[in-house]
Amino acid sequence: MVSSHRRNGLHMIEQWNGSFFEHSSLKALGLRFQLGHPIGETCPKPITPYNDDFVVIHTNGVHEVGVNFCKCFNAPERFVQLLRYGWFPATTHQPRTAASLAVLKRFQIHSFESKCSAFEFYQALARLGDNTGIRPVRDRYRAFLVMVREYRHIKMVKRAGRGHDVTGIAGTKLGECAVLCPACPQPQYNLPDNWADGPEETRWIYRLFLAIDANFRLKRRKVSSESADPSLGSGWAYFVEQGPYAEHIKNFADQFQAKSTCSSHSAVNNSRITDGLATSGVGSVGCARHDCFRPHSVGDLQKGERLCTVHYVDGDVVVSYDIACQWCRNLWERIQRYAKSLQLDEDLVNSFMFLVPKFHLPAHIGKCQTQYSFNLHSHVGRTDGEAPERGWSHINPIALSTCEMGPGSRRDTLEDHFGDSNWKKTYQMGTTLLRRIKAAVDESSEQTLLFHRMEGEVQKWEKEIEAWEADWTSPNPFETRIKKPTQEAVRRALAEEDRKAQEEGRAYALHTTFSGSELIAVGMELEEHQRRLHLDTKAHGPHATDDQKAKLLSKGNNLHRRIEQWIEVQERYIPSTESLRQDGTNPANSIRELWETPLFLPSAIPSSVPCDPRLQDVEWRLRSAQAHSALDELRRCLRMRSYLFIDKDQFSRGQHQNTRSQGMIQRTNTKVNAAAAKYREARACLKSLSRLYDGDDWKNRFPTLKDEDIRSLQADSEEKTKKKKKADDPSEGHRKVSWIWGALGDGVAEVVNDELKDDLRVEWCKSRARCKRWQEEVVLLTEEMRRVLMFLDTSADRWRAKANFQKKEVDGMCQEGIQAYALQQNSLCLDLKSHFKELWRYVDDYVQSKGKASVSPLQSIIEEPKELEE
């Protein structure tokens, strides 16, 4: 009795031995696989492999099988017979090992997703046949490595269409086997014929966004050599051609390289240890917007990110590089020393823009953070330049395998993974661009609205920023120009204001002690004293010393006497307050209740109780001024807190200095909270007095102050610490300025404080930049969607044309396969195009109408395609 578990022609056999099933094989039972003939047909001249030894690696294990090759007249070669049966031979000469096409495809997909090594995969297959070690299977691991590598290479050139070209594989050009990014501008695929002749103001939509980066995880140890292990197709896909590249490195590796003038970048200063390594990593030029590897753009690094290496890798244009501030120094002079093929036309030099990726930018000095920022330069949209970092995250796990490979095996393996990464980006482009344009349209609308709320000296600032965008040597409007205030300067200014107030004598004498306006002003001053006494009492707490208690008691007694004197005068101006106090709200004698004593200013008097409208008008004006003053104080304290954090981060060293700085920051935070409380109290009083006035204009002048509104123009360490706990911490491109920085009366021009104007000028420039970048992002994404559809359409046409290719040296069966594959690829391109068009069918209508909607309707519009929800 035999038990069989079949897997695509190969079986896991168990034979009954009288007591139980035990392992066996079809070869042991006498089964022979006849190749070269249809199933069921007998070969008149069969021939066995040498020593009748043949092993097939399949998805369910490693099998010893009996194979008969055909030796009839005109019989194909043995390796051809194996391929037609679906078995990939380990060699073309007298093959004794093969792997099924199914297992090779399965390993390739497994390695793409799980990054498992060939050794791990082969060991798993071997254990499927014997998991006890009693009957070990034949070791064909090295043969499996050869078959995997050849299979990958053949699939790569097949998908590149080399089987449909008269020159065949031998005619493959450099970079021809790479999977192209369909959204990047490809002149022969997705750009209009006259794209280079378009208007200069719109030609930027065809700009190519590239990013240079190095990956030091993909190192290789000194194993094997180029002569023993060359690439199967050097320079055909993503890696550069090894021969000319090695010659370039040999000629320029020892050139002088200046030390970094920015931060101490290890990539510039070559501080990496390379002992025992043949390659310290790889450098690449990739697509900066869609995270795709570009053809002929990856090269091995010998020691750090040597600039001669990066120059050779990038023969086109660079937009983003971690150390762009250093790399672009004397760039054109260095390039002139290279080979003619690497030199650029002088007319193209000014078309290059060098920027630093957003995540890496904070590590640079302040000047670089404005000069090389994606957020501040025009016509770059919301590109962040960090695409290579995201790409490396998927490639890095394979480094555990490639570090011990020979040079050619490593490059071929990495190119296979680079190609898969590009292909995944391609078929996911529909949902990726849809998600991005949804966010871009929403954010563009919101940032545009926020930008137009900022008023003031906008014309002057806009001229400054436009001049700087046209010429980087012009004054940079994104940098502050006013020296930050000191405590001494603020104290001198306050003393001068007090002296002027005494000389001008603003009070009017309606009473021998208080005028009407003085009555309200003094009452509000007493409120402030009550608030301060409350804060001082809370600060000292129940553990106050006897001296502190004595000082608090003295302050309380003085305040109590002043309140009693003020109440006597108030009852003459507002007699109704006497009856209000007789309800049990008389001033208390204890300090603990003193700050709770109601003063019954006009805003606190019920509408049913009479009060002189002149006094109410006086309080309205004073409360308005108090609210403005509280906002000024709040802004001043927030700016001061930001400066203190900068001072602490840059200059405070050691426990003593850090403790002192932290104490100053805490005191400033107390002032921030006090200013916010004062504004909220003033607004509450204005709300009570607003019954005397028609309209709600005061609400626009004095909005409700929420806790999240209390933030600096630029997030300081205090705000960043709070945001770390939140998942929606906004980046620079999503940041929104709090309304408190726009509440400046009729405009910034009325603000006397020059340093506040300076801060607001910088923030206005950044707000304008955010608005412009999001608007540009919508335009770029719309153009990229058009490019993707045109790329797929062009690719489909090219494959359709390849279906008519006639290859003379092949039989009718192969010719039919050539045609079928071309038509299959044509259908795939058209299916992807149809799928993307279905996903994007509502986008154009929304983008055209986005300016008409006050609330973004994109969410409801895009909810209709169920594919996105899935």
Side-chain angles (χ1 to χ4, degrees), residues 46 62 109 148 157 175 201 228 240 280 290 296 332 349 467 497 645 663 687 749 861:
V62 181
I109 298 298
V148 165
V157 295
E201 59 271 14
V240 295
S280 62
H290 315 108
H296 208 241
W332 311 116
V349 171
E497 291 176 4
F645 271 113
K687 182 179 181 180
I861 291 178

Side-chain angles (χ1 to χ4, degrees), residues 338-373:
Y338 296 162
K340 290 292 184 181
S341 59
L342 299 179
Q343 296 182 11
L344 299 175
D345 190 342
E346 293 183 2
D347 296 337
L348 299 177
V349 171
N350 294 329
S351 65
F352 281 69
M353 179 183 294
F354 304 98
L355 302 175
V356 176
K358 293 181 180 179
F359 179 79
H360 292 78
L361 192 61
H364 291 248
I365 61 176
K367 183 178 181 181
C368 293
Q369 292 185 23
T370 55
Q371 185 171 349
Y372 298 96
S373 173

Side-chain angles (χ1 to χ4, degrees), residues 158 163-164 796 799-806 811-829:
K158 174 186 174 184
H164 297 75
W799 278 110
R800 183 73 185 183
K802 291 179 185 294
N804 300 323
F805 173 71
Q806 299 291 329
D811 56 22
M813 184 185 304
C814 289
Q815 185 62 48
E816 185 179 354
I818 290 173
Q819 182 181 22
Y821 183 76
L823 293 176
Q824 182 187 44
Q825 294 298 102
N826 167 267
S827 177
L828 174 61
C829 294

Side-chain angles (χ1 to χ4, degrees), residues 27 84 134 138 341 377 401 414 422 522 755-756:
K27 183 178 180 181
R84 289 182 174 177
I134 299 175
R138 303 289 295 276
S341 59
H377 283 76
S401 302
L414 289 176
N422 281 13
V522 172
E755 52 89 12
L756 176 57

Side-chain angles (χ1 to χ4, degrees), residues 661-682:
S661 298
Q662 193 62 39
M664 296 177 64
I665 292 172
Q666 290 178 355
R667 290 193 293 273
T668 306
N669 276 333
T670 302
K671 294 180 180 179
V672 168
N673 296 332
K678 181 188 291 188
Y679 173 82
R680 288 166 176 159
E681 181 179 341

